[in-house]
């Protein structure tokens, strides 16, 4: 049904089932299926020190400086070497400002880009928490630790594109100072926080502000964050991956992004997300999430008459990711999913939740309506890809 497929794809905002995506971006899960990996989920207490309650400290003129002095040895500078493919014109008459006067071929060449970020030890054995985007695509990761003249070469333990978290490790010559993970859920709006990092390669920069808001959504490229802490503590390029601390020196967030449209608007991943993601990165190297591989509409009822759909119940498939479980099962754009394992589906969120409750490798039975022809498909859910998944623009 090419006509329906094209018009639906052009009209809808995709909801990628199993990819945790809303609007073609990514959703930071507030809950992960404990059996998603087919085993008992690892616990954060196995890998990091977690505060049982915020410590009470007397406030005074030296409070912030005392916290900084105490936690700074655990904060590190990360330098990632990222090779990038670029096309260079082979013509000797090529001018980079005006192009080639006499043609010439474009030859792929590798250029080296150096990215600077921040991280911190959360485990004395040399384990460091940072952002996935700090080390993404890196061929070499160097970590600068206070008290050592030469950087350490780090290896990647685990990454999660969706939540933008990563764990790397150095071969520590001795137990490293490590930070305590605090509770972002109990950190109120208006609470004082401290950010430490390396903005613009200005090492060990300290900024102070408050938690301005919680649960903020933010889209950066192909990432869609939905549960960020907003802070007035200055955050700039190079701060990414560094700790956002309360006045007890406990980490309540991972500094991640800054708004380029205003001042004093920074964002951090809350430790409530870290608590769920970090154990899986440590144990499996990735987060196990079941994946169906379809983008679906969020409002089928209003589209029924507009696009002559067969039913107002269920959700419409707008796009099927190639080589996904849905594609292997023969699902197509324009078809309507009306039930999962016999349970009626009435919304995109409901279908997403049904998939999340399954485990990787499990089978589900979908009831599908294709222009009035009702049939079932058995789909084996796969591991969600650890990278961007987007719906392509529809062809004219």
């Amino acid at each position: 049904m090419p006509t329906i497929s094209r018009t639906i794809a052009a009209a809808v905002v995709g909801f990628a089932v199993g990819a945790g995506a809303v609007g073609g971006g990514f959703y930071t899960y507030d809950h992960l299926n404990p059996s998603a990996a087919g085993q008992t989920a690892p616990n954060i207490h196995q890998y990091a020190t977690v505060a049982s309650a915020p410590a009470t400290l007397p406030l005074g003129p030296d409070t912030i400086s005392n916290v900084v002095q105490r936690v700074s040895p655990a904060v590190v500078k990360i330098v990632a070497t990222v090779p990038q493919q670029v096309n260079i014109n082979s013509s000797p008459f090529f001018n980079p400002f005006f192009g080639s006067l006499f043609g010439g071929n474009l030859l792929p060449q590798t250029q080296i880009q150096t990215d600077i970020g921040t991280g911190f030890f959360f485990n004395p054995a040399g384990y460091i928490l940072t952002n996935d985007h700090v080390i993404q695509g890196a061929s070499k990761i160097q970590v600068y630790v206070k008290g050592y003249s030469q950087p350490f070469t780090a290896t990647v333990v685990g990454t999660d594109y969706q939540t933008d978290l990563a764990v790397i490790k150095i071969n520590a010559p001795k137990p490293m100072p490590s930070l305590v993970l605090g509770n972002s859920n109990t950190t109120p709006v208006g609470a004082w926080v401290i950010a430490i990092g390396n903005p613009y390669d200005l090492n060990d920069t300290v900024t102070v502000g408050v938690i301005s808001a919680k649960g903020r959504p933010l889209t950066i490229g192909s990432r869609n964050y939905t549960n960020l802490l907003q802070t007035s503590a200055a955050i700039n390029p190079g701060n990414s991956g560094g700790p956002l601390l309360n006045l007890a020196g406990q980490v309540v967030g991972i500094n991640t992004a800054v708004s380029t449209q205003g001042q004093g608007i920074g964002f951090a991943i809350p430790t409530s997300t870290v608590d769920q993601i970090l154990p899986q990165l440590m144990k499996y190297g990735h987060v196990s999430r079941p994946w169906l591989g379809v983008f679906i509409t969020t409002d089928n009822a209003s589209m029924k008459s507009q696009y002559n759909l067969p039913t107002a119940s269920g959700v419409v498939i707008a796009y099927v990711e190639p080589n996904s479980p849905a594609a292997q099962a023969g699902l197509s754009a324009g078809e309507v999913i009306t039930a999962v394992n016999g349970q009626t589906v009435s919304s995109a969120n409901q279908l997403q939740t049904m998939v999340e409750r399954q485990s990787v490798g499990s089978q589900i039975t979908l009831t599908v309506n294709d222009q009035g022809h009702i049939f079932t498909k058995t789909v084996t859910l796969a591991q969600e890809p650890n990278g961007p998944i987007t719906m392509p623009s529809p062809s004219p």
Side-chain angles (χ1 to χ4, degrees):
M1 58 189 72
T3 302
I4 293 179
S5 300
R6 283 198 299 269
T7 53
I8 289 176
V12 306
V13 174
F15 188 110
V17 175
V22 180
F26 288 79
Y27 171 76
T28 303
Y29 290 124
D30 290 321
H31 173 74
L32 294 175
N33 186 346
S35 62
Q39 304 179 43
T40 301
N43 190 286
I44 185 67
H45 295 277
Q46 298 174 241
Y47 306 105
T49 302
V50 179
S52 57
T56 56
L57 290 178
L59 296 180
D62 297 328
T63 297
I64 292 174
S65 60
N66 289 339
V67 169
V68 171
Q69 184 177 7
R70 188 172 75 252
V71 305
S72 285
V75 181
V76 302
K77 174 181 175 181
I78 298 173
V79 178
T81 301
V82 183
Q84 292 187 329
Q85 288 290 113
V86 295
N87 292 323
I88 304 297
N89 197 292
S90 63
S91 170
F93 303 101
F94 178 75
N95 184 301
F97 295 101
F98 300 104
S100 175
L101 301 177
F102 300 98
N105 297 320
L106 292 176
L107 301 178
Q109 292 189 10
T110 301
Q111 289 186 345
I112 300 300
Q113 175 179 316
T114 300
D115 293 333
I116 296 175
T118 308
F120 62 90
F121 291 111
F122 65 89
N123 183 299
Y127 290 95
I128 297 165
L129 186 61
T130 187
N131 281 138
D132 175 57
H133 75 257
V134 168
I135 64 166
Q136 188 177 29
S139 59
K140 185 178 183 180
I141 304 170
Q142 292 185 301
V143 176
Y144 292 79
V145 182
K146 294 175 182 63
Y148 296 86
S149 58
Q150 298 298 319
F152 294 85
T153 298
T155 56
V156 177
V157 175
T159 63
D160 184 44
Y161 181 89
Q162 225 187 87
T163 56
D164 198 13
L165 290 172
V167 174
I168 60 177
K169 185 183 184 301
I170 66 168
N171 290 324
K174 63 179 183 180
M176 294 287 105
S178 57
L179 300 185
V180 174
L181 300 182
N183 192 332
S184 61
N185 287 334
T186 59
T187 302
V189 172
W192 285 99
V193 285
I194 306 165
I196 304 179
N198 306 289
Y200 297 107
D201 204 16
L202 298 172
N203 297 348
D204 304 320
T205 295
V206 177
T207 56
V208 178
V210 299
I211 296 294
S212 306
K214 300 170 72 172
R216 289 295 200 204
L218 182 69
T219 299
I220 303 177
S222 58
R223 297 184 204 257
N224 253 7
Y225 307 86
T226 64
N227 183 33
L228 295 178
L229 301 175
Q230 181 184 326
T231 177
S232 60
I235 295 175
N236 289 288
N239 273 113
S240 290
L244 186 68
L245 306 133
N246 61 22
L247 293 187
Q250 301 167 353
V251 180
V252 294
I254 314 301
N255 300 320
T256 298
V258 61
S259 171
T260 59
Q261 299 176 342
Q263 295 182 345
I265 304 177
F267 300 93
I269 301 168
T271 50
S272 59
T273 298
V274 175
D275 289 348
Q276 298 176 67
I277 300 301
L278 187 147
Q280 292 204 50
L281 297 186
M282 292 289 286
K283 188 168 184 178
Y284 309 119
H286 65 274
V287 176
S288 185
R289 297 188 183 95
W291 184 51
L292 178 57
V294 296
F295 280 77
I296 57 179
T297 69
T298 57
D299 188 0
N300 182 24
S302 65
M303 298 181 67
K304 179 181 183 297
S305 58
Q306 186 176 359
Y307 294 109
N308 194 30
L309 295 175
T311 175
S313 62
V315 290
V316 183
I317 299 175
Y319 174 71
V320 177
E321 183 74 16
N323 302 316
S324 67
Q328 294 171 5
L331 294 173
S332 301
E335 296 173 342
V336 181
I337 299 174
T338 59
V340 176
N341 293 336
Q343 182 179 349
T344 300
V345 174
S346 58
S347 69
N349 282 304
Q350 184 183 9
L351 178 57
Q352 177 72 29
T353 300
M354 289 178 174
V355 172
E356 288 175 15
R357 288 174 178 169
Q358 307 300 315
S359 59
V360 175
S362 64
Q363 291 186 332
I364 59 174
T365 300
L366 302 179
T367 303
V368 181
N369 189 324
D370 180 10
Q371 294 297 286
H373 174 54
I374 299 175
F375 56 93
T376 60
K377 290 281 188 179
T378 299
V379 184
T380 301
L381 299 174
Q383 166 62 40
E384 178 187 290
N386 193 9
I389 307 172
T390 57
M391 185 170 66
S393 300
S395 56

